[in-house]
Coordinates of all heavy atoms in Angstrom, one line a residue:
M1 N 0.1 -7.1 12.7 CA -0.2 -7.5 11.3 C 0.1 -6.3 10.4 O -0.8 -5.7 9.8 CB -1.7 -7.9 11.1 CG -2.0 -8.3 9.7 SD -3.6 -9.1 9.4 CE -4.7 -8.1 10.3
G2 N 1.4 -5.9 10.3 CA 1.8 -4.9 9.4 C 1.9 -3.5 9.9 O 2.8 -2.8 9.7
N3 N 0.8 -3.0 10.6 CA 0.7 -1.6 11.1 C 1.0 -0.6 10.0 O 1.9 0.2 10.0 CB 1.7 -1.4 12.3 CG 1.3 -2.1 13.5 OD1 0.1 -2.3 13.7 ND2 2.2 -2.5 14.3
F4 N 0.2 -0.8 8.9 CA 0.4 0.1 7.7 C -0.2 1.5 8.0 O -1.2 1.6 8.7 CB -0.3 -0.5 6.5 CG 0.3 -1.8 6.1 CD1 -0.2 -3.0 6.4 CD2 1.4 -1.8 5.3 CE1 0.3 -4.2 6.0 CE2 2.0 -3.0 4.8 CZ 1.4 -4.2 5.2
T5 N 0.5 2.5 7.4 CA 0.0 3.9 7.5 C -1.1 4.1 6.5 O -1.3 3.2 5.6 CB 1.1 4.9 7.2 OG1 1.5 4.8 5.8 CG2 2.4 4.7 8.1
F6 N -1.8 5.2 6.7 CA -2.9 5.5 5.8 C -2.4 5.6 4.3 O -3.0 5.0 3.4 CB -3.5 6.8 6.2 CG -4.7 7.3 5.4 CD1 -5.9 6.7 5.5 CD2 -4.5 8.3 4.5 CE1 -7.0 7.1 4.7 CE2 -5.6 8.8 3.7 CZ -6.8 8.2 3.8
D7 N -1.2 6.2 4.1 CA -0.6 6.3 2.8 C -0.2 5.0 2.2 O -0.4 4.7 1.0 CB 0.6 7.3 2.8 CG 0.1 8.7 3.0 OD1 -1.0 9.1 2.7 OD2 1.0 9.5 3.5
E8 N 0.3 4.1 3.1 CA 0.7 2.7 2.6 C -0.5 1.9 2.2 O -0.5 1.3 1.2 CB 1.5 2.0 3.7 CG 2.9 2.6 4.0 CD 3.5 2.1 5.3 OE1 2.8 1.6 6.2 OE2 4.7 2.2 5.4
I9 N -1.6 2.1 3.0 CA -2.8 1.4 2.6 C -3.3 1.9 1.2 O -3.7 1.1 0.4 CB -3.9 1.5 3.7 CG1 -3.5 0.8 5.0 CG2 -5.3 1.1 3.2 CD1 -3.6 -0.7 4.9
N10 N -3.3 3.2 1.1 CA -3.8 3.8 -0.2 C -2.9 3.3 -1.4 O -3.4 3.0 -2.4 CB -3.8 5.3 -0.2 CG -5.0 5.8 0.6 OD1 -6.0 5.2 0.7 ND2 -4.9 7.0 1.1
L11 N -1.6 3.2 -1.2 CA -0.7 2.7 -2.2 C -1.0 1.3 -2.5 O -1.1 0.9 -3.7 CB 0.8 2.9 -1.7 CG 1.8 2.5 -2.7 CD1 1.9 3.5 -3.9 CD2 3.2 2.4 -2.1
M12 N -1.3 0.5 -1.5 CA -1.6 -0.9 -1.8 C -3.0 -1.0 -2.5 O -3.1 -1.9 -3.3 CB -1.6 -1.7 -0.5 CG -0.2 -1.9 0.1 SD -0.2 -3.1 1.5 CE -1.1 -2.2 2.7
C13 N -3.9 -0.2 -2.2 CA -5.2 -0.2 -2.9 C -5.0 0.1 -4.4 O -5.6 -0.6 -5.2 CB -6.1 0.9 -2.3 SG -6.8 0.5 -0.7
I14 N -4.1 1.0 -4.7 CA -3.9 1.4 -6.1 C -3.3 0.2 -6.9 O -3.7 -0.1 -8.0 CB -3.0 2.6 -6.2 CG1 -3.7 3.8 -5.6 CG2 -2.5 2.9 -7.6 CD1 -2.8 5.0 -5.4
Y15 N -2.3 -0.5 -6.3 CA -1.6 -1.5 -7.0 C -2.0 -2.9 -6.7 O -1.4 -3.9 -7.1 CB -0.1 -1.3 -6.7 CG 0.5 -0.1 -7.4 CD1 0.6 1.1 -6.8 CD2 0.9 -0.2 -8.7 CE1 1.0 2.2 -7.4 CE2 1.4 0.9 -9.4 CZ 1.4 2.1 -8.7 OH 1.9 3.3 -9.4
N16 N -3.1 -3.1 -5.9 CA -3.5 -4.4 -5.5 C -3.9 -5.3 -6.7 O -4.7 -4.8 -7.5 CB -4.7 -4.3 -4.5 CG -5.0 -5.6 -3.9 OD1 -4.3 -6.6 -3.9 ND2 -6.2 -5.7 -3.3
T17 N -3.4 -6.5 -6.8 CA -3.7 -7.4 -7.8 C -4.6 -8.5 -7.3 O -5.0 -9.4 -8.1 CB -2.5 -8.0 -8.5 OG1 -1.8 -8.7 -7.5 CG2 -1.6 -6.9 -9.0
G18 N -4.8 -8.6 -6.0 CA -5.6 -9.6 -5.4 C -4.7 -10.6 -4.6 O -5.3 -11.4 -3.8
T19 N -3.4 -10.6 -4.8 CA -2.5 -11.5 -4.1 C -1.4 -10.7 -3.5 O -1.0 -9.7 -4.1 CB -2.0 -12.7 -5.0 OG1 -1.1 -12.1 -5.9 CG2 -3.1 -13.5 -5.6
K20 N -0.8 -11.2 -2.5 CA 0.4 -10.5 -1.9 C 1.5 -10.5 -2.9 O 2.1 -9.4 -3.1 CB 0.8 -11.2 -0.6 CG 2.0 -10.6 0.1 CD 2.4 -11.4 1.3 CE 3.9 -11.8 1.2 NZ 4.4 -12.5 2.3
E21 N 1.8 -11.6 -3.5 CA 2.9 -11.7 -4.5 C 2.7 -10.7 -5.6 O 3.6 -10.0 -6.1 CB 3.1 -13.1 -5.0 CG 4.2 -13.3 -5.9 CD 4.4 -14.7 -6.4 OE1 3.9 -15.7 -5.7 OE2 5.1 -14.9 -7.4
G22 N 1.4 -10.7 -6.1 CA 1.1 -9.8 -7.2 C 1.3 -8.4 -6.9 O 1.8 -7.6 -7.7
L23 N 0.8 -8.0 -5.7 CA 1.0 -6.6 -5.2 C 2.4 -6.3 -5.1 O 2.8 -5.2 -5.5 CB 0.2 -6.5 -3.9 CG 0.4 -5.1 -3.1 CD1 0.0 -4.0 -4.0 CD2 -0.3 -5.1 -1.8
M24 N 3.2 -7.2 -4.5 CA 4.6 -6.9 -4.3 C 5.3 -6.7 -5.6 O 6.1 -5.8 -5.8 CB 5.3 -8.0 -3.4 CG 4.8 -7.9 -2.0 SD 5.7 -9.1 -0.9 CE 7.3 -8.4 -0.9
D25 N 5.0 -7.6 -6.6 CA 5.6 -7.5 -7.9 C 5.2 -6.1 -8.6 O 6.0 -5.5 -9.2 CB 5.1 -8.6 -8.8 CG 5.8 -10.0 -8.5 OD1 6.8 -10.0 -7.7 OD2 5.2 -11.0 -8.9
A26 N 3.9 -5.7 -8.5 CA 3.5 -4.5 -9.0 C 4.2 -3.3 -8.4 O 4.6 -2.3 -9.1 CB 2.0 -4.3 -8.9
L27 N 4.4 -3.3 -7.1 CA 5.1 -2.2 -6.4 C 6.5 -2.2 -6.8 O 7.1 -1.1 -7.0 CB 5.0 -2.4 -4.9 CG 3.6 -2.1 -4.3 CD1 3.6 -2.5 -2.8 CD2 3.2 -0.7 -4.5
K28 N 7.1 -3.4 -7.0 CA 8.6 -3.4 -7.4 C 8.7 -2.9 -8.8 O 9.7 -2.1 -9.1 CB 9.1 -4.8 -7.3 CG 9.3 -5.3 -5.8 CD 9.7 -6.7 -5.8 CE 9.8 -7.2 -4.3 NZ 10.0 -8.7 -4.3
E29 N 7.8 -3.2 -9.7 CA 7.8 -2.7 -11.0 C 7.6 -1.2 -11.1 O 8.4 -0.5 -11.7 CB 6.7 -3.4 -11.9 CG 6.8 -2.9 -13.3 CD 5.7 -3.6 -14.2 OE1 5.1 -4.6 -13.8 OE2 5.4 -3.0 -15.3
M30 N 6.7 -0.7 -10.3 CA 6.4 0.8 -10.3 C 7.6 1.5 -9.7 O 8.0 2.5 -10.2 CB 5.2 1.0 -9.4 CG 4.9 2.5 -9.2 SD 5.7 3.2 -7.7 CE 4.9 2.5 -6.4
R31 N 8.3 0.9 -8.7 CA 9.4 1.5 -8.1 C 10.6 1.7 -9.1 O 11.3 2.7 -9.0 CB 9.9 0.5 -7.0 CG 11.0 1.1 -6.1 CD 11.5 0.0 -5.1 NE 12.4 0.6 -4.2 CZ 13.7 0.9 -4.5 NH1 14.1 0.7 -5.7 NH2 14.5 1.4 -3.6
G32 N 10.7 0.8 -10.1 CA 11.7 0.9 -11.1 C 11.5 2.1 -12.0 O 12.5 2.5 -12.7
Y33 N 10.3 2.7 -12.0 CA 10.1 3.8 -12.9 C 10.2 5.2 -12.2 O 10.1 6.2 -12.8 CB 8.6 3.8 -13.5 CG 8.4 2.6 -14.4 CD1 7.7 1.5 -14.0 CD2 9.0 2.6 -15.7 CE1 7.6 0.4 -14.9 CE2 8.8 1.6 -16.6 CZ 8.1 0.5 -16.2 OH 7.9 -0.6 -17.0
L34 N 10.5 5.1 -10.9 CA 10.6 6.4 -10.1 C 11.9 7.1 -10.4 O 12.9 6.4 -10.4 CB 10.4 6.1 -8.6 CG 9.1 5.5 -8.2 CD1 9.1 5.2 -6.7 CD2 8.0 6.4 -8.5
G35 N 11.8 8.4 -10.5 CA 13.0 9.2 -10.7 C 13.5 9.7 -9.3 O 12.9 9.6 -8.3
P36 N 14.7 10.4 -9.4 CA 15.3 10.9 -8.1 C 14.4 12.0 -7.5 O 14.5 12.2 -6.3 CB 16.6 11.5 -8.6 CG 16.6 11.4 -10.1 CD 15.5 10.6 -10.5
D37 N 13.5 12.6 -8.2 CA 12.7 13.7 -7.7 C 11.4 13.1 -7.0 O 10.6 13.8 -6.5 CB 12.2 14.6 -8.8 CG 11.5 13.9 -9.9 OD1 11.8 12.7 -10.2 OD2 10.6 14.6 -10.5
E38 N 11.3 11.8 -6.9 CA 10.2 11.1 -6.3 C 10.6 10.3 -5.1 O 10.1 9.2 -4.8 CB 9.5 10.2 -7.3 CG 8.9 11.0 -8.5 CD 8.5 10.1 -9.6 OE1 9.3 9.4 -10.2 OE2 7.2 10.1 -9.9
A39 N 11.5 10.9 -4.3 CA 12.1 10.3 -3.1 C 11.0 9.9 -2.1 O 11.1 8.9 -1.4 CB 13.1 11.2 -2.4
E40 N 9.9 10.7 -1.9 CA 8.9 10.4 -1.0 C 8.1 9.2 -1.4 O 7.8 8.3 -0.5 CB 7.9 11.6 -0.9 CG 7.0 11.5 0.3 CD 6.2 12.8 0.5 OE1 6.6 13.9 0.2 OE2 5.0 12.6 0.9
L41 N 7.8 9.1 -2.6 CA 7.1 7.9 -3.1 C 8.0 6.7 -3.0 O 7.5 5.6 -2.7 CB 6.5 8.1 -4.5 CG 5.7 6.9 -5.1 CD1 4.6 6.5 -4.2 CD2 5.2 7.3 -6.5
L42 N 9.2 6.8 -3.3 CA 10.2 5.7 -3.2 C 10.3 5.2 -1.8 O 10.2 4.0 -1.5 CB 11.6 6.2 -3.7 CG 12.7 5.2 -3.6 CD1 12.4 4.0 -4.6 CD2 14.0 5.8 -4.0
A43 N 10.3 6.1 -0.8 CA 10.4 5.7 0.6 C 9.1 5.1 1.0 O 9.1 4.1 1.8 CB 10.7 7.0 1.5
L44 N 8.0 5.6 0.6 CA 6.7 5.0 0.9 C 6.6 3.6 0.3 O 6.1 2.6 1.0 CB 5.5 5.8 0.3 CG 4.1 5.3 0.6 CD1 3.8 5.3 2.0 CD2 3.1 6.2 -0.2
T45 N 7.0 3.4 -0.9 CA 7.0 2.1 -1.6 C 7.9 1.1 -0.8 O 7.5 0.0 -0.5 CB 7.4 2.2 -3.0 OG1 6.6 3.1 -3.7 CG2 7.4 0.8 -3.8
D46 N 9.1 1.5 -0.4 CA 10.0 0.7 0.3 C 9.5 0.3 1.6 O 9.5 -0.9 2.0 CB 11.4 1.4 0.5 CG 12.2 1.4 -0.8 OD1 11.8 0.7 -1.8 OD2 13.2 2.2 -0.9
S47 N 8.9 1.2 2.4 CA 8.3 0.9 3.7 C 7.1 -0.1 3.5 O 7.0 -1.0 4.4 CB 7.9 2.1 4.5 OG 6.8 2.8 3.9
T48 N 6.3 0.1 2.5 CA 5.2 -0.8 2.3 C 5.7 -2.2 1.9 O 5.2 -3.2 2.5 CB 4.3 -0.3 1.1 OG1 3.9 1.0 1.4 CG2 3.1 -1.2 0.9
L49 N 6.7 -2.3 1.1 CA 7.3 -3.6 0.7 C 7.9 -4.3 1.9 O 7.7 -5.5 2.1 CB 8.3 -3.5 -0.4 CG 7.8 -3.2 -1.8 CD1 8.8 -2.8 -2.7 CD2 7.1 -4.5 -2.3
E50 N 8.6 -3.6 2.8 CA 9.2 -4.1 4.0 C 8.1 -4.7 4.9 O 8.4 -5.7 5.6 CB 10.0 -3.1 4.7 CG 11.3 -2.7 4.1 CD 12.0 -1.5 4.8 OE1 11.7 -1.3 5.9 OE2 12.8 -0.9 4.1
K51 N 7.0 -4.1 5.0 CA 5.9 -4.6 5.9 C 5.2 -5.7 5.3 O 4.7 -6.6 6.0 CB 5.0 -3.4 6.2 CG 5.6 -2.4 7.1 CD 4.6 -1.2 7.4 CE 5.3 -0.1 8.2 NZ 4.4 1.0 8.4
L52 N 5.0 -5.7 4.0 CA 4.3 -6.8 3.3 C 5.1 -8.1 3.3 O 4.6 -9.2 3.4 CB 4.1 -6.4 1.8 CG 2.9 -5.6 1.5 CD1 2.9 -5.1 0.0 CD2 1.6 -6.4 1.8
S53 N 6.4 -8.0 3.1 CA 7.3 -9.2 2.9 C 7.1 -10.3 3.9 O 6.9 -11.4 3.5 CB 8.8 -8.7 2.8 OG 9.6 -9.8 2.5
P54 N 7.1 -10.0 5.2 CA 7.0 -11.1 6.2 C 5.6 -11.6 6.4 O 5.4 -12.5 7.1 CB 7.6 -10.5 7.5 CG 7.3 -9.0 7.3 CD 7.4 -8.7 5.9
M55 N 4.6 -10.9 5.8 CA 3.2 -11.3 6.1 C 2.9 -12.6 5.5 O 3.3 -12.9 4.4 CB 2.2 -10.2 5.5 CG 2.2 -8.9 6.2 SD 1.0 -7.8 5.5 CE -0.5 -8.5 6.3
S56 N 2.0 -13.3 6.2 CA 1.5 -14.6 5.6 C 0.4 -14.2 4.6 O -0.2 -13.1 4.6 CB 0.9 -15.5 6.6 OG -0.3 -14.9 7.2
E57 N 0.1 -15.1 3.7 CA -1.0 -14.9 2.7 C -2.3 -14.7 3.4 O -3.1 -13.8 3.0 CB -1.0 -16.1 1.7 CG -1.8 -15.8 0.4 CD -1.2 -14.7 -0.5 OE1 0.1 -14.7 -0.7 OE2 -1.9 -13.9 -1.0
A58 N -2.5 -15.4 4.5 CA -3.8 -15.3 5.2 C -3.9 -13.9 5.9 O -5.0 -13.3 5.8 CB -3.8 -16.3 6.3
D59 N -2.8 -13.4 6.4 CA -2.8 -12.0 7.0 C -3.0 -11.0 5.9 O -3.7 -10.0 6.1 CB -1.5 -11.7 7.7 CG -1.4 -12.4 9.1 OD1 -2.4 -12.8 9.6 OD2 -0.3 -12.5 9.6
F60 N -2.4 -11.2 4.7 CA -2.6 -10.3 3.6 C -4.1 -10.3 3.2 O -4.7 -9.2 3.0 CB -1.7 -10.7 2.4 CG -2.1 -9.9 1.2 CD1 -1.6 -8.6 1.1 CD2 -2.8 -10.4 0.2 CE1 -1.9 -7.8 0.0 CE2 -3.1 -9.6 -1.0 CZ -2.7 -8.3 -1.1
E61 N -4.7 -11.4 3.1 CA -6.1 -11.5 2.7 C -7.0 -10.9 3.7 O -8.1 -10.5 3.4 CB -6.5 -13.0 2.5 CG -5.8 -13.6 1.2 CD -6.1 -15.1 1.0 OE1 -6.9 -15.6 1.8 OE2 -5.4 -15.6 0.2
A62 N -6.6 -10.8 5.0 CA -7.4 -10.1 6.0 C -7.4 -8.6 5.9 O -8.2 -7.9 6.5 CB -6.9 -10.6 7.4
L63 N -6.4 -8.1 5.2 CA -6.4 -6.6 5.0 C -7.6 -6.1 4.2 O -8.0 -6.8 3.2 CB -5.1 -6.2 4.2 CG -3.8 -6.4 5.0 CD1 -2.6 -6.1 4.0 CD2 -3.7 -5.6 6.2
E64 N -8.1 -5.0 4.5 CA -9.2 -4.4 3.7 C -8.6 -3.4 2.8 O -8.4 -2.2 3.2 CB -10.2 -3.8 4.7 CG -10.9 -4.9 5.5 CD -12.1 -4.3 6.3 OE1 -12.6 -3.2 6.0 OE2 -12.5 -5.0 7.2
L65 N -8.3 -3.8 1.6 CA -7.6 -2.9 0.6 C -8.6 -2.3 -0.3 O -8.7 -2.6 -1.5 CB -6.5 -3.7 -0.1 CG -5.4 -4.2 0.7 CD1 -4.4 -4.9 -0.1 CD2 -4.7 -3.1 1.5
Y66 N -9.5 -1.5 0.2 CA -10.4 -0.7 -0.5 C -10.2 0.8 -0.4 O -10.0 1.2 0.7 CB -11.9 -1.1 -0.1 CG -12.1 -2.5 -0.1 CD1 -12.1 -3.3 1.1 CD2 -12.3 -3.2 -1.3 CE1 -12.3 -4.6 1.1 CE2 -12.6 -4.6 -1.3 CZ -12.6 -5.3 -0.1 OH -12.8 -6.6 -0.1
P67 N -10.2 1.5 -1.4 CA -9.9 2.9 -1.3 C -10.9 3.6 -0.4 O -12.1 3.3 -0.4 CB -10.1 3.5 -2.7 CG -10.1 2.3 -3.6 CD -10.5 1.1 -2.8
D68 N -10.4 4.6 0.4 CA -11.2 5.3 1.3 C -11.6 6.6 0.6 O -10.9 7.6 0.7 CB -10.5 5.6 2.6 CG -11.3 6.4 3.6 OD1 -12.5 6.6 3.3 OD2 -10.8 6.8 4.7
F69 N -12.8 6.6 -0.1 CA -13.2 7.7 -0.9 C -13.7 8.9 0.0 O -13.8 10.0 -0.4 CB -14.3 7.3 -1.9 CG -13.7 6.4 -3.0 CD1 -14.2 5.1 -3.1 CD2 -12.8 6.9 -3.9 CE1 -13.7 4.3 -4.0 CE2 -12.3 6.0 -4.8 CZ -12.8 4.7 -4.9
D70 N -14.1 8.5 1.2 CA -14.5 9.6 2.2 C -13.4 10.4 2.7 O -13.5 11.6 3.0 CB -15.3 9.0 3.4 CG -16.6 8.3 2.9 OD1 -17.1 8.7 1.9 OD2 -17.0 7.3 3.6
G71 N -12.2 9.8 2.8 CA -11.0 10.5 3.3 C -11.0 10.6 4.8 O -12.0 10.6 5.5
K72 N -9.8 10.6 5.3 CA -9.5 10.7 6.7 C -10.0 12.0 7.3 O -10.5 12.0 8.4 CB -8.0 10.5 7.0 CG -7.6 9.1 7.2 CD -7.3 9.0 8.6 CE -6.4 7.8 9.0 NZ -7.2 6.8 9.8
E73 N -9.9 13.0 6.6 CA -10.3 14.4 7.1 C -11.8 14.5 7.4 O -12.2 15.3 8.2 CB -9.9 15.5 6.1 CG -8.4 15.6 5.8 CD -7.9 14.5 4.9 OE1 -8.6 14.0 4.1 OE2 -6.7 14.2 5.1
D74 N -12.6 13.6 6.8 CA -14.0 13.7 7.0 C -14.6 12.9 8.2 O -15.8 12.7 8.4 CB -14.8 13.2 5.7 CG -14.5 14.2 4.6 OD1 -14.1 15.3 4.8 OD2 -14.6 13.8 3.4
E75 N -13.7 12.3 9.0 CA -14.1 11.4 10.1 C -15.1 12.1 11.0 O -16.0 11.5 11.5 CB -12.9 10.9 10.9 CG -12.2 9.7 10.2 CD -11.0 9.2 11.0 OE1 -10.7 9.8 12.1 OE2 -10.4 8.3 10.6
N76 N -14.9 13.4 11.3 CA -15.7 14.0 12.3 C -16.9 14.9 11.7 O -17.6 15.5 12.4 CB -14.8 15.0 13.1 CG -13.8 14.2 13.9 OD1 -14.0 13.2 14.4 ND2 -12.6 14.8 14.0
A77 N -17.0 14.7 10.4 CA -18.1 15.5 9.7 C -19.4 14.8 9.9 O -19.5 13.6 9.9 CB -17.7 15.6 8.2
E78 N -20.4 15.7 10.0 CA -21.8 15.2 10.0 C -22.8 16.3 10.0 O -22.6 17.4 10.4 CB -22.1 14.3 11.2 CG -21.8 12.9 10.8 CD -22.6 11.8 11.5 OE1 -23.8 12.0 11.7 OE2 -21.9 10.8 11.9

């Protein structure tokens, strides 16, 4: 079901509209504003769109697209 990276999930959290189609439209619109100096974000957006495209709406709805405010680095903290 996608195998999204941490960065791809974060990108989807930022642009999530509640539907797969809405998210893809928002990512495509944002992509159009990227300049040549933003190659990393462009590649991240493209990989996210490639993984989203074949997903069913049900699989998309099963994704937990909530920002991780704790951060990956804090997993072992206590």
Side-chain angles (χ1 to χ4, degrees):
M1 183 170 47
N3 292 329
F4 294 98
T5 67
F6 182 74
D7 289 337
E8 289 168 340
I9 293 288
N10 283 338
L11 184 67
M12 290 190 293
C13 288
I14 294 166
Y15 288 93
N16 187 19
T17 63
T19 66
K20 180 184 125 177
E21 184 178 339
L23 172 59
M24 290 184 70
D25 287 345
L27 289 173
K28 288 174 187 173
E29 181 179 343
M30 174 272 291
R31 188 186 185 286
Y33 294 105
L34 297 178
D37 60 328
E38 296 171 298
E40 191 174 327
L41 182 54
L42 181 62
L44 179 65
T45 303
D46 286 347
S47 67
T48 304
L49 286 166
E50 286 174 21
K51 292 176 184 179
L52 276 171
S53 186
M55 288 184 81
S56 69
E57 196 66 41
D59 284 343
F60 173 78
E61 289 174 10
L63 293 175
E64 293 187 18
L65 297 180
Y66 305 103
D68 182 4
F69 293 114
D70 294 333
K72 271 253 197 243
E73 295 76 29
D74 295 337
E75 282 181 356
N76 299 322
E78 271 206 44

